[in-house]
Amino acid sequence: MTLILRGCSARHWHRGTTTLKLYNIRSYASPAAASKLDLLAIDRKWQARWAESTKDPSARRKPDKGKFYVLPMFPYPSGILHLGHLRVYTISDVVARAKHMQGHQVIHPMGWDAFGLPAENAAIERGVDPAAWTVDNISKMKEQLKRMGGMWDWSRELVTSDACFYKHTQRIFLMLYERGLAYQAESLVNYDPIDRTVLANEQVDANGFSWRSGAKVERIQLKQWFMRITEFKEALLKDLDKLAIDNCWPERVLSMQKNWLGRSTGAKIRFDVHDSRFPSKNFLPLEVFTTRPDTLFGVQYLALSIEHPLVKEHAISSPGLQDFLKSAPSLPLESKAGYLLDHISATNPVASIEPGTISKTLPIYVAPYVLADYGEGAVMGVPGHDTRDHAFWREHRGQDSIPLVVSSSETGFPNRCFLIPGEDDVPFTKEGFLTSLCGQFKAQPSAAAGLQVVNLLKENGNYAEYSEFWRIRDWLVSRQRCWGAPIPIIHCQDCGVVPVPVDQLPVVLPPTDLGWLKGKGGNPLDDARDWVNTKCPSCGGDAKRETDTMDTFVDSSWYFMRFIDPDNSEAPISAEAADLNLPVDIYVGGIEHAILHLLYARFISKFLATTPCWPSGGGPNNKGEPFKHLITQGMVHGKTYIHPPTGRFLEPEEIDLTDPSKPRVKLTGELVNVSYEKMSKSKYNGVDPTACISKYGADATRAHMLFQAPVSEVLEWDEQPIVGIQRWFSRVWRVVNEAQTVDTTRFKPPSITDFLQSEAELWSEVQQTIINATKILNKSFSLNTLISDLIKLTNTLYSTHIFSSSISSSPSEDTRTVAPALYHEATSTLLRLMAPVTPAFAEECWELLHSNSHNPKTDTDTTRTMPTSFSSIFNAPFPIASTNPSPHSHLTQQTIAVLFNDKIRFVLKAPRPPAHLLSNDNKANDNKEIEEYMLEVIGKSEEYRKWRERGDNAKRELKRVVVARGARTVNLVFHAI
């Protein structure tokens, strides 16, 4: 006979007046278990249902917690979704779905960073309308995003090239202008000769090439618009400390921002200048900033930027210098080129306090490596203690000896006081002790000596001041292109610079007739005469519009705010919406934006926190920071095939993959070299994610991408291992087919006396998986580990049997067998933990799991232990680990490796610790409970007792306990006797 066990406790599942017989789980599986798993059909089914459900908000689960704003960096609408897009949007979607199931009101929008050069270049090259080109690309990419199974709030969608958006970008510009934080100035700028536009310093790489076009950047003089980000430099630096708390921002990003802000302390020193031809002529002294005043005794030359006033003055009468200045912009930043100024020299001011110890007269060079905006555009050259200065000096004064004025010797008498060409010709760049070449300062430590030198120079009447220097410069936002937000400024011959009145915003770009831009160079807006010519809003006279447009980084510096108030026509954002929804809780994007985008966004956010848009700035603990938690995902590299003899990149069609482990050239049979490199067309290693989704399904592709590498690391894309994800799905499908055959009466964990060993082990693993998953999705975001844990739980369920009732033998404690309702609950938990990662597949499994006719149609239980029937798995709550500290854990044995002072001593079997103690075992020093628990367990063991009785071990004092690997390894560290 078969018993229907409704409402029974676990005790009645095992032990009644009827003897129970065990059946193998597969002996009564549903016929559906044998059905083919069609992931593509599942994708289509559930994507259609999700689209339909958005029309009925009442069908969605009502949030019972506050808002949670999850945002991935929005894409440029190139028309093609690449694997980097898929990775960042999968990460954000997993987090958003998990937060939704945890009861939050989730904001997870999508928009388009639509201004930029690619659209304009398409218009110039092919005569297409950049707006139409952009809209078409957005349409294509939107469909691709939908295919990946994302949970996007399309009602908040924005496009930065839409006048409704850039109206408010222009309003923010005017707010900055009103406060003196946006201004126009003549400046030497970085000019991209291919894209024919100005670049900010951050957009030029270390070798002087454009970050976008790859062209060698030129330096030209132009009148440009800037935003005064330097006014916020102190806050931008100081508040990085807040973002470092609990690793909210990656250390690498914090370090990059600190370095770019570049605050350094040192001294400003002035060097007198002389011309041997005109002894009586007075020159302005050269002012340098140095962080190492202790090396002043080792100065051998001064170097000036090519824009320095003294250089320009000297060039008037020096054809040689004129030629050098013409060639200088094309030289790389690390160039050792220099031009010696004839007849001009400088005097080292320390010669006045230690006469006779150093070279008093210093040559002056013009050197491209000196930046015009570093201090006053002049630096002192100390080749004995700076690598760059050393290379420059050897290039121009190769055989000269170089004085060493600082060394590691505390006596002031190092082994040598000079560098000469040869093997040991290496500068000493660290701080140390001044040498005997420094007179009265000999043997003094660098820091103290530097302070004394500055003070003594001041006392002797020389200019020397302690000073602070910042690397960051104001943000150059002018761009000479037409596909960008117009700068809302009018130039009037009588009134000068006049801001466009707010009620006349937006300043809309002129219409682009087909072919109008084709073949144009420079700034096409200069030729839009009907648009450029206008009336002055102040005097009504003839005037002209500003034809520069804003850098696209201005759009992305505040777009995250617009998402939360997208229909506000009066202001960029209301204070009410800002206070309710900002800052962004989790921001996801690439490390390549660590300086450019993130620094600008922090600046604009802090500025808007001083305006009516967001006066609270998120409160005193937030201080106007835009992003609470930052996840930076690694790049995706593609498999690259290289022909060994030539180094040529091979196309996939040229490769014979009959043996995937030994790819060969089809024509010659030669083995090819395989590497993983950044995806590019020239390397033929790009992968279309939609092709992968079409082949394997969205969920398998998502899970494979997340499982292959930690979120923050480079992902080497390889499709072959995706079969492992397919096998996992097949096992889950079988498990669900088994679980759906049983009665699903509400399950609650029974007392300890009602569990068999196998049930205790399964329930404990379920609880630990919930704990791990919750920690990952709330804090660590180790999504590859999450999938590993889910696969492990799946395998446990797959190898576990359900017992059914019949008059026969008793259940065996040695058989991995559990009660039907427990198996069903474990399966339900598995699916809800999987749902954020594999949404469509989890929906399909959830529907099957709850297809049993015994399912009740309502669920009024608020304990969330056993959800029974939901229209969508995303209306179900995310699993919550039992608050009961695993009272049944004494039934769950595990092997523990016990180490003394890092050496393994013995292995013992002991009960698995309660789940609540294991949740923080990776922070053993902060978790005294688990340490004390494990110490008690080990202390009661016979092995430990015998060790204590040997020799002097009883006298050893325990120093600390280190618990690792879920308490499967415990290291006891003792003090030496």
Side-chain angles (χ1 to χ4, degrees):
M1 62 184 269
T2 301
L3 301 180
I4 303 299
L5 304 173
R6 286 194 185 88
C8 297
S9 71
R11 179 186 300 277
H12 294 121
W13 296 338
H14 294 283
R15 305 168 184 85
T17 57
T18 306
T19 305
L20 305 181
K21 180 177 180 181
L22 298 178
Y23 286 91
N24 185 288
I25 189 171
R26 289 158 186 80
S27 66
Y28 72 112
S30 163
S35 63
K36 180 176 174 60
L37 188 58
D38 188 343
L39 294 176
L40 299 179
I42 290 172
D43 278 351
R44 291 191 294 271
K45 170 183 173 179
W46 287 101
Q47 287 175 17
R49 285 203 189 178
W50 293 333
E52 190 64 28
S53 69
T54 58
K55 302 174 184 178
D56 181 15
S58 64
R60 303 174 200 163
R61 178 165 179 257
K62 300 297 187 291
D64 52 23
K65 296 181 181 177
K67 72 88 190 175
F68 202 92
Y69 189 179
V70 182
L71 183 65
M73 295 180 184
F74 65 167
Y76 177 79
S78 62
I80 300 173
L81 188 72
H82 56 69
L83 279 174
H85 287 129
L86 182 63
R87 192 179 194 193
V88 66
Y89 301 138
T90 297
I91 293 167
S92 77
D93 189 60
V94 169
V95 176
R97 288 183 181 276
K99 292 300 177 183
H100 170 78
M101 294 179 72
Q102 289 173 353
H104 290 279
Q105 183 179 349
V106 173
I107 302 172
H108 189 223
M110 179 54 67
W112 310 96
D113 192 8
F115 275 135
L117 282 167
E120 183 169 327
N121 288 343
I124 293 171
E125 293 166 11
R126 301 193 293 273
V128 299
D129 180 356
W133 187 86
T134 299
V135 170
D136 184 55
N137 285 349
I138 287 174
S139 177
K140 293 175 185 176
M141 291 184 70
K142 196 170 180 179
E143 287 304 311
Q144 291 172 325
L145 280 171
K146 289 179 179 178
R147 288 195 62 192
M148 66 162 280
M151 184 185 75
W152 310 109
D153 183 354
W154 291 108
S155 69
R156 299 175 185 270
E157 182 182 15
L158 61 82
V159 181
T160 60
S161 60
D162 188 327
C164 293
F165 177 87
Y166 69 73
K167 164 186 178 179
H168 300 289
T169 304
Q170 292 171 342
R171 180 69 188 99
I172 291 171
F173 179 93
L174 292 178
M175 293 164 70
L176 288 159
Y177 182 80
E178 291 161 7
R179 293 263 296 273
L181 298 175
Y183 65 93
Q184 193 176 31
E186 191 84 15
S187 174
L188 190 72
V189 297
N190 305 308
Y191 186 76
D192 185 325
I194 291 181
D195 285 338
R196 286 173 287 192
T197 190
V198 167
L199 302 173
N201 287 337
E202 300 91 325
Q203 295 167 323
V204 182
D205 69 18
N207 296 316
F209 293 95
S210 167
W211 76 294
R212 186 184 292 275
S213 73
K216 183 66 180 177
V217 172
E218 299 173 357
R219 301 275 285 173
I220 62 175
Q221 199 81 18
L222 283 177
K223 202 168 189 180
Q224 302 287 287
W225 284 96
F226 295 83
M227 290 184 181
R228 210 180 297 273
I229 190 174
T230 52
E231 286 292 310
F232 288 78
K233 62 181 184 289
E234 294 279 1
L236 289 170
L237 179 62
K238 181 180 179 182
D239 294 343
L240 289 174
D241 293 338
K242 186 195 79 67
L243 300 176
I245 297 173
D246 293 330
N247 297 313
C248 285
W249 278 41
E251 174 57 35
R252 182 182 175 190
V253 175
L254 297 174
S255 178
M256 292 170 75
Q257 292 226 347
K258 285 178 182 176
N259 290 339
W260 188 256
L261 290 164
R263 183 175 68 181
S264 53
T265 55
K268 289 191 290 188
I269 310 292
R270 287 180 182 169
F271 292 72
D272 290 332
V273 178
H274 310 280
D275 188 330
S276 60
R277 298 168 300 177
F278 309 104
S280 60
K281 183 175 181 179
N282 292 322
F283 289 89
L284 289 175
L286 293 176
E287 182 175 294
V288 305
F289 172 83
T290 178
T291 59
R292 295 288 305 274
D294 59 315
T295 65
L296 272 165
F297 288 94
V299 177
Q300 298 297 291
Y301 69 95
L302 297 185
L304 307 180
S305 74
I306 61 175
E307 297 88 26
H308 195 281
L310 182 60
V311 174
K312 292 181 178 179
E313 179 184 345
H314 197 72
I316 296 173
S317 58
S318 175
L321 178 56
Q322 293 173 15
D323 292 340
F324 178 80
L325 295 178
K326 290 177 183 177
S327 64
S330 63
L331 296 173
L333 294 178
E334 73 279 7
S335 170
K336 296 186 286 291
Y339 187 91
L340 178 65
L341 295 183
D342 298 330
H343 312 292
I344 305 291
S345 62
T347 299
N348 191 335
V350 295
S352 65
I353 58 176
E354 281 293 339
T357 61
I358 62 167
S359 174
K360 180 177 180 181
T361 303
L362 305 173
I364 301 176
Y365 287 87
V366 182
Y369 77 77
V370 182
L371 302 178
D373 54 5
Y374 185 86
E376 299 296 323
V379 300
M380 64 186 206
V382 188
H385 302 285
D386 184 274
T387 303
R388 183 192 57 194
D389 295 352
H390 180 273
F392 183 87
W393 189 245
R394 284 289 178 234
E395 178 75 15
H396 297 277
R397 304 285 282 267
Q399 299 304 310
D400 288 9
S401 61
I402 298 173
L404 288 172
V405 298
V406 179
S407 77
S408 59
S409 172
E410 298 183 27
T411 66
F413 292 98
N415 294 331
R416 54 183 183 151
C417 289
F418 294 91
L419 294 177
I420 58 175
E423 290 184 6
D424 297 327
D425 186 20
V426 179
F428 181 78
T429 58
K430 300 177 182 178
E431 290 191 348
F433 301 88
L434 272 63
T435 70
S436 56
L437 296 179
C438 303
Q440 63 182 297
F441 301 99
K442 178 188 68 177
Q444 292 193 22
S446 288
L451 291 174
Q452 289 187 43
V453 168
V454 172
N455 288 333
L456 197 53
L457 285 172
K458 292 171 67 176
E459 291 173 9
N460 281 16
N462 295 287
Y463 179 86
E465 295 289 346
Y466 301 113
S467 181
E468 186 176 79
F469 177 79
W470 292 74
R471 180 188 178 199
I472 189 172
R473 294 294 177 265
D474 285 340
W475 177 13
L476 192 160
V477 298
S478 284
R479 297 296 181 267
Q480 291 70 45
R481 60 178 180 234
C482 72
W483 192 237
I487 293 176
I489 292 292
I490 291 173
H491 298 278
C492 175
Q493 191 170 355
D494 295 326
C495 303
V497 175
V498 181
V500 173
V502 172
D503 60 5
Q504 293 182 22
L505 298 180
V507 177
V508 180
L509 287 167
T512 306
D513 297 330
L514 291 180
W516 177 68
L517 288 174
K518 190 170 184 178
K520 288 187 181 294
N523 185 354
L525 291 180
D526 289 335
D527 297 331
R529 296 177 183 176
D530 291 343
W531 181 82
V532 171
N533 295 318
T534 186
K535 296 296 181 182
C536 174
S538 179
C539 69
D542 292 340
K544 293 182 180 294
R545 295 191 186 280
E546 173 63 61
T547 57
D548 282 359
T549 55
M550 281 185 255
D551 181 7
T552 54
F553 281 110
V554 179
D555 304 319
S556 60
S557 70
W558 77 281
Y559 79 106
F560 52 90
M561 294 184 166
R562 189 63 182 173
F563 274 133
I564 61 175
D565 200 6
D567 300 320
N568 189 334
S569 61
E570 301 302 319
I573 183 175
S574 69
E576 294 76 16
D579 286 339
L580 187 63
N581 298 293
L582 291 177
V584 175
D585 291 286
I586 293 180
Y587 196 41
V588 188
I591 190 70
E592 63 271 19
H593 298 295
I595 295 175
L596 299 173
H597 163 57
L598 291 173
L599 191 63
Y600 296 153
R602 293 182 63 221
F603 160 51
I604 293 298
S605 180
K606 287 181 177 295
F607 164 69
L608 290 176
T610 68
T611 73
C613 289
W614 192 23
S616 73
N621 292 327
N622 189 66
K623 299 181 179 179
E625 287 292 337
F627 312 119
K628 189 180 296 183
H629 196 120
L630 176 67
I631 301 175
T632 53
Q633 90 284 356
M635 297 183 69
V636 182
H637 286 184
K639 187 177 285 188
T640 310
Y641 299 102
I642 303 170
H643 188 228
T646 64
R648 181 174 67 88
F649 295 110
L650 299 172
E651 299 185 46
E653 294 76 17
E654 300 178 80
I655 308 300
D656 178 2
L657 294 174
T658 304
D659 182 354
S661 65
K662 295 181 179 179
R664 298 177 180 272
V665 179
K666 284 182 179 178
L667 291 178
T668 64
E670 295 173 282
L671 287 172
V672 302
N673 293 336
V674 180
S675 64
Y676 286 89
E677 301 184 28
K678 182 179 178 180
M679 293 184 177
S680 70
K681 291 180 180 179
S682 63
K683 296 176 182 176
Y684 309 109
N685 64 347
V687 176
D688 179 3
T690 56
C692 193
I693 290 172
S694 298
K695 185 176 180 180
Y696 301 106
D699 286 357
T701 303
R702 286 164 58 116
H704 173 62
M705 173 166 278
L706 295 176
F707 189 45
Q708 286 302 103
V711 164
S712 61
E713 294 183 9
V714 170
L715 169 62
E716 296 181 344
W717 180 256
D718 185 357
E719 284 188 15
Q720 289 183 343
I722 205 170
V723 296
I725 297 297
Q726 292 175 316
R727 284 196 296 268
W728 173 39
F729 283 10
S730 295
R731 287 199 164 195
V732 172
W733 187 245
R734 285 178 177 269
V735 166
V736 173
N737 273 279
E738 312 305 347
Q740 66 91 27
T741 64
V742 304
D743 181 19
T744 56
T745 300
R746 182 177 292 109
F747 169 82
K748 291 185 178 180
S751 66
I752 185 171
T753 58
D754 295 319
F755 270 130
L756 292 176
Q757 172 73 23
S758 57
E759 291 175 327
E761 290 177 351
L762 175 60
W763 187 243
S764 180
E765 183 173 341
V766 168
Q767 297 308 302
Q768 189 59 48
T769 306
I770 294 172
I771 290 170
N772 293 347
T774 303
K775 180 180 178 181
I776 288 169
L777 291 167
N778 288 347
K779 189 171 184 180
S780 72
F781 307 105
S782 304
L783 300 181
N784 59 320
T785 304
L786 171 64
I787 294 175
S788 179
D789 289 344
L790 296 177
I791 291 174
K792 180 183 176 184
L793 179 57
T794 301
N795 291 338
T796 297
L797 286 167
Y798 187 77
S799 60
T800 298
H801 304 296
I802 302 175
F803 74 76
S804 67
S805 50
S806 180
I807 300 175
S808 187
S809 59
S810 298
S812 167
E813 289 287 345
D814 297 328
T815 306
R816 196 168 186 173
T817 310
V818 300
L822 174 55
Y823 191 89
H824 190 282
E825 162 67 358
T827 304
S828 168
T829 300
L830 171 65
L831 295 181
R832 284 178 285 147
L833 294 175
M834 286 180 64
V837 176
T838 60
F841 178 60
E843 289 272 35
E844 184 72 10
C845 292
W846 187 255
E847 184 178 65
L848 174 62
L849 183 66
H850 293 88
S851 62
N852 190 293
S853 60
H854 296 131
N855 285 346
K857 298 301 180 184
T858 59
D859 179 23
T860 58
D861 184 9
T862 59
T863 63
R864 291 188 174 186
T865 53
M866 182 62 179
T868 53
S869 180
F870 296 89
S871 58
S872 164
I873 194 170
F874 294 104
N875 287 341
F878 194 80
I880 297 177
S882 173
T883 54
N884 186 333
S886 301
H888 51 272
S889 61
H890 78 289
L891 292 171
T892 309
Q893 299 289 309
Q894 71 177 22
T895 301
I896 303 171
V898 181
L899 292 79
F900 295 164
N901 291 355
D902 300 323
K903 293 182 179 180
I904 190 164
R905 293 294 181 179
F906 56 84
V907 174
L908 59 84
K909 283 275 190 179
R912 179 181 174 84
H916 77 288
L917 293 184
L918 292 174
S919 61
N920 290 315
D921 69 10
N922 64 323
K923 295 183 178 178
N925 292 332
D926 299 328
N927 193 349
K928 296 301 180 185
E929 286 186 90
I930 186 65
E931 294 172 6
E932 293 171 0
Y933 179 92
M934 294 309 299
L935 187 59
E936 182 179 359
V937 169
I938 293 168
K940 293 178 180 178
S941 69
E942 184 68 13
E943 295 88 345
Y944 184 77
R945 183 187 64 77
K946 289 180 179 179
W947 178 83
R948 273 293 194 185
E949 292 174 353
R950 288 199 300 269
D952 294 329
N953 290 339
K955 299 178 181 179
R956 290 179 177 269
E957 180 183 350
L958 184 64
K959 184 177 180 181
R960 68 177 185 276
V961 181
V962 180
V963 182
R965 298 179 60 245
R968 292 188 294 276
T969 299
V970 180
N971 185 19
L972 304 183
V973 182
F974 294 92
H975 287 288
I977 296 178

